[in-house]
């Protein structure tokens, strides 16, 4: 007979998309019993979507890892102790580093949608391995955008946000917030705009999406033509002098060069390339420019298609030239509490390039599209050891076959995950982490302005099996590699005595002194603070100790805005007050409340002016007229490989039973195309690209353009040893099909042909 524990109310957050909505939950027996929105959460205020209700499928399932595993010669896995796993991995890492140097190691992943605490510890392994290869999913979608920010605002760590909730005129270009979210409380926000006759929503999307259905205007462009359409829109702005002269003069440099670069754009011809009405586009541009509060929200529809980086530049010019920036209801820069992005401008030779592709990092990250070659084709200096954390590159990075081959050739592959993934099955060692509801955790995707917030989540459940949190895993590894000592007796003693008594001044003075004595320890500050100061925190919150120096830094940098958010303190102790509030407020906090005028302070250039002219982008713009479209007689359809739907959530849920609909992840296609092929909803076809083939189940969709088909992201997992369910999209994609500058993949522009299974 089992005795159940009593039902308990608690709060946490959803981990399925970048919004991390607050949740109010009922739990018992280490399980979620009921999940609702948390009305006390300062940002989501009770909002959730249908995906969050299924979180028990993440917490408990057949593929969960419960003990460290070592692959045996016959390919099976054997449970081993943590001591054995850590010792053996540390020995091999040190040996690979000392024999082959820093280029032999790469880290992959390091955080998904809601777990960024572990990355602060994982990053230290790069230093210990003398490596700079940090590969991450951000570099298969957002680095083109980050590169443009670097040029416009002076640092790739400057990042923009969009105040859709307060805008009168919104352009959604290549995004479907109804399903994908990405903006606060998306469905409510869309509903409010739709209901208000004074607000306008324009959606640029080749499909009639759920968002497009709510829009005032749907521009159903041909896939891959955004660069033509947006450059024509900018040319209209310039030709008709619809730009904001005062804004441009006061806040920017380089306007004349921009004007010159767009003079030759053949407006009507470029709009027609997108196969949309020329008059409609003129109207949209005029109304957007005239709007009091206009803003642009974009996502993968322009980041996973042709001309990725140029698209990022053009969409930013749309709001900058019209002065829709730095005010309520426009686009803005925002503060970043967790420093996810760094500035690694490739013009600075300090940032080393990869051996084979000579690729540079953007915002600190290298693109997944080049990693198989850096493993297989870089000769003596190749990548030989890879650590994968919170990521399933076998299925989510371009070209599954190339990744299989590359990862199988590694001398060491270690996977840190909560589940037995397709990537983990190829690993030499698999290290089981606590789930995100069994440890302290947070997201660094706090991208709001003028108010920004942060939610530190406490553990809800007792950890299962022989698992460890990432903070402990990486700290033990660093100790075993002998890059940090196992004990810091003096620091520990000072931490114990200090606590908050001297606003931690004594502790940080002692830490600073030990860094002066031994500079080599500086990169390992996270683990040192964890082992010393962390031990003095209540509720086993040791891994969160690194937030204290971040709070101090944030409070020093944004002193007035932090005070305005309601925290008491002076220049010495405001950060401590903030840290204590973060630890205590279990539904999250508002970190800072800025004025819109403060946005200029967030620009990295010393004169606080935006540099509108980017010569590399002018070259790409000029080359547009020579660009050839890839659709051919052999591959007549364009596949949008990776749509967000109501029942996909990256690769976070493995058990297919979580889905209420769309079990197979169907291929959506226009009924006329289906008729021509002689298929009906529910029938199967082969979907063949130049690179690979998969079987798909068809669904007729009036909302698809002819010649365009769409498959969902996040399927193709093999759960509990069964056959994979749904499309493994990246068997169709290739590593070379990517943006020339950022090397982000063209997943939404994959030429395919469709064939009956018998052919
Ligand atoms: N339900 C759900 N939500 C998610 C996720 C999930 O897996 N499931 N994943 C999260 C993640 S990691 C991300 S990055 C975001 C992505 O969020 P989104 O980018 O908003 O989602 P997608 O459906 O990939 O793509 C958006 C739209 O781009 C359109 N599109 C395709 N090609 C083109 C084109 O050439 N031009 C234009 N203008 N549009 C085009 C598609 O038809 C689609 O409607 O979603 C997040 N939210
Ligand atoms: N063809 C195609 N490919 C795509 C896309 C597409 O649209 N089309 N979308 C791309 C996009 S935008 C993204 S963001 C990526 C997403 O792909 P990935 O970067 O691979 O990330 P997730 O799918 O979120 O996988 C998260 C992994 O983290 C694990 N995990 C969950 N919690 C924890 C934890 O607490 N600790 C640890 N260590 N692990 C944990 C999960 O079990 C899972 O294996 O896919 C990309 N791939
Ligand atoms: S999936 Fe995203 S929008 Fe939906 S509840 Fe979770 S965090 Fe919120
Ligand atoms: Mo993403």
């Amino acid at each position: 007979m089992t005795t159940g524990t009593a039902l308990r109310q608690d709060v946490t957050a959803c981990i399925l998309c970048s919004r991390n909505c607050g949740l109010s939950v009922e739990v018992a027996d280490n399980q979620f019993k009921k999940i609702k929105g948390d009305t006390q959460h300062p940002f989501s205020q009770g909002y959730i979507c249908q995906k969050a209700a299924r979180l028990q499928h993440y917490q408990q399932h057949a593929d969960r890892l419960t003990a460290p595993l070592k692959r045996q010669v016959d390919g099976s896995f054997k449970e081993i102790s943590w001591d054995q796993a850590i010792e053996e991995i540390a020995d091999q890492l040190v040996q690979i580093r000392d024999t082959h140097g820093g280029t032999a190691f790469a880290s992959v992943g390091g955080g998904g949608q809601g777990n960024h605490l572990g990355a602060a510890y994982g990053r230290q392994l790069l230093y210990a391995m003398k490596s700079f290869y940090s590969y991450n999913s951000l570099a298969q979608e957002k680095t083109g955008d980050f590169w443009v920010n670097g040029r416009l605002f002076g640092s790739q760590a400057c990042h923009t946000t969009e105040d859709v909730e307060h805008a009168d005129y919104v352009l959604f270009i290549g995004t479907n917030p109804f399903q994908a979210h990405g903006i606060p409380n998306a469905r409510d926000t869309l509903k409010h705009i739709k209901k208000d006759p004074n607000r306008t929503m324009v959606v640029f999307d080749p499909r009639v999406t759920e968002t497009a259905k709510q829009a005032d205007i749907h521009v159903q462009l041909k896939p891959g033509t955004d660069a033509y359409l947006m450059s024509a829109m900018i040319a209209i702005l310039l030709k008709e002098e619809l730009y904001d002269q005062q804004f441009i003069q006061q806040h920017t440099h380089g306007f004349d060069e921009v004007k010159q670069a767009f003079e030759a754009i053949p407006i009507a011809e470029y709009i027609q390339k997108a196969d949309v009405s020329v008059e409609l586009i003129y109207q949209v541009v005029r109304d957007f420019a005239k709007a009091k509060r206009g803003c642009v929200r974009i996502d993968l529809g322009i980041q996973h298609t042709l001309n990725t980086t140029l698209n990022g530049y053009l969409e930013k010019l749309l709001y900058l030239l019209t002065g829709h920036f730095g005010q309520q209801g426009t686009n803005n820069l925002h503060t970043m509490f967790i420093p996810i992005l760094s500035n690694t401008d490739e013009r600075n030779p300090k940032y080393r390039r990869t051996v084979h592709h000579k690729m540079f990092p953007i915002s600190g990250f290298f693109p997944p599209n080049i990693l198989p070659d850096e493993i297989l084709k870089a000769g003596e200096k190749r990548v030989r050891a890879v650590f994968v954390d919170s990521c399933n590159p076998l299925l989510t990075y371009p070209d599954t076959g190339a990744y299989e081959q590359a990862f199988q050739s590694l001398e060491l592959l270690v996977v840190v995950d909560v589940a037995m993934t397709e990537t983990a099955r190829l690993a030499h060692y698999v290290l089981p982490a606590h789930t995100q509801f069994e440890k302290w955790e947070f997201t660094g995707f706090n991208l709001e302005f003028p108010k920004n917030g942060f939610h530190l989540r406490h553990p809800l459940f007792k950890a299962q099996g022989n698992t460890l949190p990432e903070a402990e895993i990486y700290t033990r590894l660093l100790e075993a590699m002998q890059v940090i000592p196992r004990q810091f007796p003096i620091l520990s003693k000072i931490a114990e005595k200090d606590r908050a008594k001297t606003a931690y001044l004594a502790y940080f003075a002692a830490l600073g002194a030990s860094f002066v004595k031994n500079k080599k320890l500086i990169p390992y500050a996270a683990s040192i603070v964890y082992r010393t100061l962390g031990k003095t925190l209540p509720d086993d919150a040791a891994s969160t100790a690194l937030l204290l120096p971040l709070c101090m830094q944030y409070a020093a940098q944004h002193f007035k805005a932090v005070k305005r958010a309601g925290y008491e303190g002076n220049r010495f102790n405001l950060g401590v007050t903030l840290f204590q509030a973060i630890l205590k407020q279990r539904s999250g906090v508002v970190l800072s409340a800025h004025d819109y005028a403060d946005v200029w302070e967030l620009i990295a250039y010393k004169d606080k002016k935006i540099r509108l002219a980017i010569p590399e982008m002018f070259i790409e713009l000029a080359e547009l007229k020579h660009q050839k479209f890839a659709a051919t007689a052999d591959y007549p359809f364009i596949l949008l490989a990776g749509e967000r739907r109501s029942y996909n959530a990256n690769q976070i849920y493995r058990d297919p039973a979580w889905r209420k609909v769309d079990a197979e992840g169907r291929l959506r296609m226009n009924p006329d195309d289906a008729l021509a092929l002689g298929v009906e909803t529910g029938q199967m076809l082969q979907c063949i690209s130049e690179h690979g083939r998969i079987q798909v189940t068809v669904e007729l969709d009036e909302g698809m353009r002819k010649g365009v088909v769409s498959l969902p992201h996040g399927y193709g997992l093999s759960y509990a040893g069964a056959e994979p369910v749904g499309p493994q999209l990246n068997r169709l994609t290739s590593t070379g099909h990517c943006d020339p500058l950022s090397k982000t993949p063209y997943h939404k522009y994959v030429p395919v042909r469709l064939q009956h299974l018998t052919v």
Side-chain angles (χ1 to χ4, degrees):
M1 199 182 88
T2 53
T3 47
T5 53
L7 213 56
R8 184 165 56 79
Q9 292 284 340
D10 215 329
V11 287
T12 185
C14 175
I15 57 161
L16 298 174
C17 86
S18 63
R19 294 307 308 166
N20 284 251
C21 299
L23 302 179
S24 161
V25 295
E26 279 180 17
V27 295
D29 302 325
N30 266 338
Q31 294 190 16
F32 287 104
K33 298 291 180 186
K34 204 174 196 179
I35 297 177
K36 299 190 297 187
D38 177 6
T39 52
Q40 301 304 306
H41 190 277
F43 290 86
S44 59
Q45 297 178 339
Y47 178 89
I48 52 167
C49 76
Q50 76 289 347
K51 297 190 291 301
R54 319 285 284 168
L55 278 168
Q56 182 59 27
H57 282 283
Y58 163 79
Q59 173 58 21
Q60 186 66 62
H61 58 83
D63 284 349
R64 261 211 71 182
L65 295 167
T66 52
L69 302 173
K70 179 179 181 180
R71 189 144 54 88
Q72 306 297 295
V73 185
D74 67 0
S76 66
F77 283 97
K78 184 176 158 217
E79 287 193 12
I80 57 172
S81 70
W82 275 104
D83 282 350
Q84 184 188 345
I86 297 286
E87 283 303 321
E88 290 184 8
I89 295 168
D91 281 354
Q92 290 182 47
L93 286 174
V94 167
Q95 204 246 332
I96 288 170
R97 179 196 64 196
D98 293 349
T99 317
H100 302 289
T103 57
F105 179 80
S107 116
V108 170
Q113 301 292 303
N115 59 319
H116 298 148
L117 176 55
Y121 294 90
R123 279 196 76 80
Q124 302 175 115
L125 200 52
L126 280 171
Y127 295 103
M129 290 302 289
K130 299 193 166 74
S131 166
F132 50 98
Y133 289 156
S134 173
Y135 287 84
N136 184 286
S137 276
L138 282 171
Q140 56 75 65
E141 52 170 323
K142 302 273 178 271
T143 35
D145 183 285
F146 300 161
W147 183 91
V148 172
N149 287 337
R151 293 293 204 268
L152 289 173
F153 304 113
S155 165
Q156 293 167 356
C158 289
H159 187 253
T160 56
T161 186
E162 53 286 305
D163 189 6
V164 175
E165 300 103 290
H166 298 104
D168 304 323
Y169 205 102
V170 188
L171 306 181
F172 286 118
I173 311 180
T175 183
N176 182 12
F178 185 90
Q179 293 296 15
H181 294 268
I183 56 168
N185 305 359
R187 290 172 188 173
D188 292 351
T189 303
L190 295 176
K191 210 185 306 163
H192 288 138
I193 304 178
K194 185 184 170 173
K195 270 206 330 226
D196 189 337
N198 298 315
R199 300 174 75 193
T200 307
M201 186 197 315
V202 186
V203 170
F204 294 74
D205 197 304
R207 189 172 93 78
V208 183
T209 60
E210 297 78 358
T211 308
K213 282 182 188 151
Q214 311 228 23
D216 299 282
I217 298 169
H218 177 203
V219 180
Q220 196 174 2
L221 77 173
K222 245 169 129 166
T225 60
D226 299 79
Y228 293 97
L229 194 51
M230 288 192 285
S231 55
M233 290 167 77
I234 290 159
I236 295 171
L237 277 177
L238 295 167
K239 193 179 83 175
E240 299 201 346
E241 296 186 2
L242 297 165
Y243 47 85
D244 184 335
Q245 217 141 16
Q246 204 197 332
F247 176 95
I248 289 167
Q249 203 167 19
Q250 200 179 344
H251 297 297
T252 72
H253 295 292
F255 177 66
D256 289 342
E257 285 130 284
V258 170
K259 235 172 138 179
Q260 207 180 349
F262 285 82
E263 241 156 35
I265 298 289
I267 296 175
E269 184 191 324
Y270 274 19
I271 298 175
Q272 279 152 5
K273 273 189 193 284
D275 191 23
V276 296
S277 149
V278 176
E279 296 76 54
L280 179 68
I281 296 304
Y282 268 91
Q283 192 59 49
V284 168
V285 175
R286 287 171 191 148
D287 291 345
F288 177 68
K290 259 195 346 238
K292 200 156 161 252
R293 294 180 290 192
C295 89
V296 185
R297 162 79 194 170
I298 55 94
D299 214 330
L300 299 181
I302 65 164
Q303 293 179 331
H304 269 179
T305 193
L306 310 180
N307 310 301
T308 317
T309 308
L310 178 61
N311 285 340
Y313 177 53
L314 297 173
E315 68 84 10
K316 286 169 205 283
L317 281 185
L318 281 172
Y319 60 74
L320 291 172
L321 293 177
T322 49
H324 290 317
F325 185 81
Q327 297 165 56
Q328 192 180 45
T330 68
N331 293 79
N332 283 287
L333 290 164
H334 61 83
T335 62
M336 223 170 221
F337 177 56
I338 304 296
I340 292 181
L341 307 179
S342 55
N343 185 30
T344 51
D345 189 324
E346 79 281 5
R347 293 169 300 188
N348 184 341
K350 180 171 118 185
Y351 301 112
R352 285 175 288 166
R353 296 181 178 226
T354 63
V355 174
H356 182 76
H357 280 276
K358 309 280 178 268
M359 182 58 190
F360 46 85
I362 302 177
S363 297
F365 300 119
F366 287 94
N369 279 64
I370 65 165
L371 182 55
D373 284 349
E374 300 297 335
I375 295 172
L376 293 169
K377 298 185 182 161
E380 270 306 294
K381 289 273 174 204
R382 69 183 180 274
V383 171
R384 294 160 188 264
V386 170
F387 238 78
V388 176
D389 186 332
S390 313
C391 187
N392 191 12
L394 245 278
L395 291 188
T396 58
Y397 283 1
D399 196 344
T400 297
Y403 264 92
E404 276 165 349
Q405 195 197 344
F407 277 9
Q408 272 161 354
S409 81
L410 289 169
E411 289 166 32
L412 179 66
L413 175 64
V414 181
V415 170
V416 183
D417 205 297
V418 299
M420 194 62 174
T421 63
E422 288 63 22
T423 311
R425 285 186 200 120
L426 295 186
H428 298 99
Y429 295 89
V430 184
L431 302 181
H434 287 4
T435 69
Q436 296 178 52
F437 301 110
E438 297 170 350
K439 65 189 171 212
W440 290 88
E441 224 358 313
F442 57 71
T443 174
F445 292 148
N446 311 109
L447 318 174
E448 311 294 333
F449 189 82
K451 277 191 185 169
N452 207 351
F454 184 71
H455 187 186
L456 176 65
R457 297 165 354 228
H458 62 286
L460 282 185
F461 303 122
K462 194 168 148 296
Q464 295 182 20
N466 190 12
T467 58
L468 286 177
E470 287 81 355
E472 186 61 30
I473 297 174
Y474 289 106
T475 303
R476 285 191 193 182
L477 263 172
L478 297 177
E479 289 165 348
M481 291 171 78
Q482 299 187 356
V483 294
I484 57 169
R486 286 185 195 272
Q487 270 162 2
F488 295 86
I490 301 174
L491 273 181
S492 296
K493 212 158 138 196
I494 296 173
E496 188 53 45
K497 275 225 276 262
D498 187 354
R499 303 227 171 187
K501 280 193 209 87
T502 65
Y504 295 105
L505 288 178
Y507 174 80
F508 282 104
L511 183 68
S514 64
F515 286 161
V516 170
K517 246 202 294 175
N518 186 355
K519 285 198 178 63
K520 284 194 178 145
L521 288 178
I522 296 173
Y524 312 112
S527 280
I528 297 170
V529 173
Y530 166 65
R531 280 281 188 253
T532 55
L533 183 72
K535 291 278 189 294
T536 70
L537 297 179
D539 304 325
D540 287 328
S543 62
T544 70
L546 59 85
L547 292 176
L548 177 57
L550 289 180
C551 283
M552 290 170 157
Q553 201 180 316
Y554 192 83
Q557 219 173 348
H558 307 291
F559 185 73
K560 271 198 203 148
V562 172
K563 293 275 277 189
R564 214 179 286 128
Y567 302 97
E568 300 284 332
N570 56 34
R571 299 241 166 222
F572 293 108
N573 62 18
L574 185 64
V576 178
T577 317
L578 182 60
F579 176 65
Q580 283 163 341
I582 284 174
L583 268 182
K584 204 168 113 209
Q585 301 286 353
R586 302 225 149 164
S587 290
V589 301
V590 174
L591 288 169
S592 51
H594 279 89
D595 279 336
Y596 281 99
D598 297 340
V599 84
W600 306 107
E601 286 310 307
L602 300 175
I603 293 179
Y605 287 121
K606 283 211 178 78
D607 65 359
K608 304 296 171 195
K609 287 195 177 184
I610 301 163
R611 307 292 192 267
L612 293 175
I614 307 183
E616 292 92 330
M617 293 295 100
F618 294 156
I619 295 171
E620 287 205 11
L621 183 70
E623 281 172 1
L624 269 185
K625 62 173 174 292
H626 307 297
Q627 189 162 309
K628 297 260 179 307
F629 288 94
T632 61
D634 283 346
Y635 301 102
F637 288 93
I638 293 301
L639 168 69
L640 314 180
E643 188 184 326
R644 270 65 190 166
R645 295 184 182 169
S646 47
Y647 284 94
N648 58 14
N650 288 8
Q651 305 250 320
I652 303 168
Y653 287 137
R654 292 192 65 81
D655 181 353
W658 88 274
R659 298 195 170 99
K660 287 192 172 170
V661 295
D662 200 17
E664 308 104 319
R666 291 182 170 185
L667 176 97
R668 290 180 167 158
M669 73 188 306
N670 182 283
D672 290 347
D673 286 335
L675 192 66
L677 272 165
V679 280
E680 300 268 358
T681 288
Q683 285 182 337
M684 293 188 78
L685 286 176
Q686 286 204 58
C687 182
I688 304 166
S689 73
E690 209 168 20
H691 204 71
R693 61 176 63 203
I694 58 173
Q695 285 190 10
V696 294
T697 308
V698 170
E699 180 174 277
L700 270 52
D701 181 346
E702 299 272 356
M704 295 302 298
R705 278 186 70 103
K706 272 203 255 178
V708 181
V709 290
S710 170
L711 281 169
H713 169 59
Y715 282 69
L717 296 97
S718 130
Y719 176 68
E723 283 296 302
V725 177
Q728 290 191 340
L729 288 182
N730 287 314
R731 295 212 176 267
L732 300 173
T733 60
S734 86
T735 53
H737 190 49
C738 63
D739 184 64
L741 193 150
S742 62
K743 305 236 181 286
T744 49
Y746 291 153
H747 285 328
K748 296 216 191 288
Y749 202 87
V750 183
V752 294
R753 102 174 146 259
L754 298 165
Q755 258 175 223
H756 289 272
L757 297 188
T758 47
V759 177

